[in-house]
Structure formats: structure tokens, C-alpha cells
């Protein structure tokens, strides 16, 4: 199965693991998807190799960025009516607090779904959802026939 | 050996030592396989060797955007350190990445970052990622980093 077929299958069966299992970088990141109260939530399972600053210790900003970007892409795939692999045009990550050595969660909200481009806002948190550790805003191209 | 060769050997040895420290100190950089290529005033070049575990699209073998953003974040941070008169802890405030074209499967990605302004509290950086030439970029980034006002500022939890 290619990526598009796997997405179609996962949406049909609601098998979220099938979506992420095929992506090597998702395994490296410990990334998985869960449904929390009907919302799609991305999770990055804590592992020592995600640390960027061992003195604190704190998660690497790049790992948090990858969690936010992945969550945004899967949110688009989950909501979309047709299967087009979103391509990141750009993403801006604001780092609000240092990421502690814990599991990290992220939730993407589609702020504008245009014909060619989707704008997504994503928030990442750890133990307390009211204290986000990072925010991202990204634009993703959704052009049929791509990818 | 000429004086030029001596200087070059000394620089290479310094780079090797920095690379070791860099990998030992930053587990995520080590896990990604990142390495420092060169350092200069307010300037850093780093390489992300292509690796199968960093692939984002298994159909094409193209690297995940997250791996490229980790490289650019780390390279920007290194450029900030190279701009500071004395090292203080730094923390990424924000980072914007534009993806200009997909990375080619099987090829290493190089990032070049330059810290173009340092103020008392904040350092400003821009960076470009490419395979062979900066004139043919894969991604560009711009970011800001907070500088600790004194050593140990974040260790006491003030930044959290």
C-alpha cells in the first residue's frame, strides 16, 4: 500500500496506528495519534534521545517542532474529503516553556481550509493542557496529484 | 609542515573536539546523526547525513520536515553561541521555516546559519538548508533566541 491507500484504510477502519506505523521518522520520534473526546491528538512518547539540553533537562526544540508539524499534517489528512498529501509551505513555532522529560501532546485546529492551502494552528502541552509549551502556525499545500 | 598546515590541523582538531562534546551534550543531535562542519564568528555549518529512520514519506524516501527543522534549530543555536562573547544558556524563542523544495532522497542536508544581531536579551538568526549549493536551497529559516541573563538562570526554573 502507498501512503494515500493507507490513509484511506485508516480512515475507514479508524485504525490510527496504521497511519503512523509506516512513517520511519514517526517511530524515531515516538509519535502516535489518539482520539481524546473525539479530538485527534498527536503524542510524542518521552525518550532520552529527544533531549536537547541535558542540564535542565529539556526536550530539543526540533523534536517539539516535528511533533507540531506532524500533528498538523495528520489533522488535515483526518479532516479532508479527498486524499492529498499536504506539503508544508512554512511553519512558525513559538516556544513558550521548556519541554520537560515527559510525554508531550499536540492538537491541531484548521483555521482556514482553502482550495490550495490550509492554515493550521497547533498547540503542544505536557501535564497541564492550560499551560502550553509551544504553539505553531503553518501553511500546507493540498494540490491533487502531488505526492 | 608549513605554518598554514599547522593552523589547519589545529582547526580540524578543535572541530573534532567540539563535535564530540556537541554529540555527547545533545542526545537528540546525536540520535539524528548531526555533525558540525565548520564554525566561525556568529556563523555555523552543520550536516544531517541521510538516514532511513529520518524518512517522512516511505513512498518517496524523502526526509521528514521535522528532521530538517531539528537541523536548522541546532545550527541556528550554534551560530548564536559563536556570536556570544561568553557562553550563556540560550533557548529558542521562535523559529519560522520555509520549505522551498523537497530534500532529495539519499542525500545529506547541510545547514548554514548566521547570527546577525545580538542584543542584551535576544539573538536573531537566519539559516538556509541545501544539498550542494546555498544558491539552490531546500529550506530557509529565521529565528530568535533568548539569552540567559546570568549562568544558571534556567537551571533554577525561571524560564519555565
Amino acid at each position: 500500500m502507498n501512503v494515500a491507500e493507507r490513509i484511506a484504510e485508516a480512515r475507514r477502519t479508524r485504525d490510527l496506528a496504521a497511519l503512523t506505523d509506516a512513517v520511519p521518522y514517526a517511530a524515531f520520534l515516538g509519535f502516535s495519534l489518539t482520539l481524546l473526546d473525539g479530538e485527534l491528538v498527536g503524542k510524542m512518547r518521552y525518550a532520552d534521545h529527544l533531549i536537547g539540553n541535558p542540564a535542565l533537562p529539556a526536550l530539543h526544540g526540533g523534536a517539539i517542532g516535528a511533533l507540531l508539524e506532524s500533528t498538523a499534517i495528520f489533522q488535515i489528512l483526518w479532516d479532508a474529503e479527498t486524499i492529498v498529501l499536504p506539503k508544508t509551505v512554512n511553519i512558525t513555532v513559538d516556544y513558550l516553556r521548556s519541554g520537560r522529560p515527559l510525554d508531550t501532546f499536540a492538537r491541531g485546529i484548521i483555521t482556514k481550509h482553502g482550495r490550495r492551502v490550509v492554515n493550521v494552528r497547533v498547540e503542544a502541552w505536557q501535564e497541564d493542557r492550560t499551560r502550553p509549551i509551544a504553539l505553531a502556525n503553518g501553511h500546507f499545500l493540498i494540490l491533487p496529484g502531488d505526492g | 609542515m608549513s605554518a598554514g598546515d599547522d593552523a589547519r590541523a589545529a582547526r580540524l582538531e578543535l572541530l573534532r573536539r567540539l563535535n564530540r562534546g556537541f554529540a555527547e551534550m545533545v542526545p537528540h543531535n546525536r540520535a539524528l546523526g548531526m555533525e558540525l562542519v565548520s564554525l566561525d564568528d556568529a556563523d555555523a555549518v552543520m550536516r544531517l547525513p541521510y538516514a532511513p529512520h529520518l524518512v517522512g514519506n516511505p513512498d518517496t524516501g524523502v526526509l521528514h520536515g521535522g528532521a530538517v527543522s531539528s537541523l536548522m534549530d541546532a545550527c541556528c543555536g550554534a551560530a548564536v553561541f559563536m556570536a556570544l562573547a561568553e557562553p550563556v544558556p540560550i533557548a529558542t524563542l521562535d523559529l519560522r521555516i520555509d520549505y522551498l523544495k523537497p530534500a532529495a532522497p539519499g542525500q545529506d542536508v547541510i545547514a548554514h546559519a548566521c547570527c546577525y544581531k545580538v542584543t542584551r536579551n535576544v539573538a536573531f538568526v537566519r539559516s538556509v538548508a541545501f544539498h550542494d549549493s546555498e544558491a539552490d536551497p531546500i529550506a530557509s529559516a529565521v529565528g530568535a533566541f533568548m539569552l540567559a541573563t546570568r549562568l544558571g538562570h534556567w537551571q533554577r526554573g525561571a524560564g519555565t
Side-chain angles (χ1 to χ4, degrees):
Chain A
M1 268 196 290
N2 64 23
V3 172
E5 287 162 352
R6 266 194 299 271
I7 292 158
E9 179 71 7
R11 277 218 300 245
R12 196 178 56 76
T13 60
R14 296 265 148 188
D15 179 8
L16 293 165
L19 268 181
T20 50
D21 280 357
V23 181
Y25 190 76
F28 170 74
L29 213 58
F31 179 83
S32 61
L33 293 163
T34 49
L35 283 171
L36 273 184
D37 302 325
E39 288 180 347
L40 191 69
V41 170
K43 175 186 173 183
M44 182 168 71
R45 191 179 59 246
Y46 174 71
D48 290 344
H49 73 267
L50 300 176
I51 291 293
N53 180 343
L56 291 178
L59 296 176
H60 197 287
I64 296 170
L67 165 69
L68 291 162
E69 185 176 340
S70 300
T71 302
I73 288 171
F74 282 112
Q75 186 65 47
I76 297 168
L77 286 169
W78 198 245
D79 288 1
E81 281 159 23
T82 54
I83 293 159
V84 176
L85 286 186
K87 284 207 293 203
T88 312
V89 179
N90 53 37
I91 184 159
T92 306
V93 180
D94 293 334
Y95 294 94
L96 308 176
R97 298 179 171 86
S98 65
R100 288 177 297 145
L102 298 169
D103 292 348
T104 310
F105 303 90
R107 162 85 177 131
I109 306 276
I110 292 178
T111 35
K112 164 81 195 293
H113 202 302
R115 275 188 307 112
R116 291 184 298 164
V117 73
V118 185
N119 184 301
V120 188
R121 177 165 303 185
V122 200
E123 197 170 296
W125 71 93
Q126 295 187 311
E127 286 177 315
D128 183 352
R129 194 165 174 171
T130 64
R131 287 171 60 83
I133 64 162
L135 301 173
N137 209 87
H139 292 100
F140 300 85
L141 273 179
I142 43 155
L143 300 177
D146 268 8
Chain B
M1 212 154 73
S2 75
D5 287 341
D6 284 350
R8 188 166 170 275
R11 274 204 305 276
L12 284 175
E13 177 52 30
L14 178 63
L15 197 59
R16 266 197 294 275
R17 287 219 311 271
L18 284 167
N19 248 324
R20 251 193 324 268
F22 175 77
E24 278 162 16
M25 281 170 58
V26 187
H28 194 56
N29 291 355
R30 184 175 57 219
L32 286 163
M34 278 191 232
E35 52 197 47
L36 283 165
V37 176
S38 68
L39 293 169
D40 210 331
D41 283 348
D43 187 284
V45 178
M46 288 178 51
R47 177 189 295 116
L48 177 69
Y50 182 83
H53 69 281
L54 304 181
V55 166
N57 184 336
D59 292 346
T60 59
V62 169
L63 289 180
H64 194 281
V68 177
S69 67
S70 284
L71 171 72
M72 296 186 94
D73 185 80
C75 193
C76 285
V80 172
F81 276 122
M82 295 307 293
L84 298 175
E86 53 185 289
V88 296
I90 63 171
T92 317
L93 193 58
D94 67 9
L95 189 71
R96 174 204 165 113
I97 299 183
D98 290 297
Y99 292 98
L100 308 173
K101 67 166 196 178
Q107 285 195 45
D108 298 355
V109 178
I110 314 288
H112 180 195
C114 174
C115 178
Y116 60 93
K117 177 71 181 173
V118 179
T119 68
R120 192 203 295 256
N121 292 296
V122 184
F124 299 87
V125 202
R126 51 188 164 229
S127 173
V128 63
F130 56 94
H131 288 309
D132 302 312
S133 158
E134 281 195 55
D136 185 20
I138 296 163
S140 70
V142 60
F145 286 72
M146 284 304 292
L147 310 177
T149 47
R150 56 197 180 277
L151 214 59
H153 179 75
W154 283 302
Q155 275 82 349
R156 286 196 287 275
T160 58

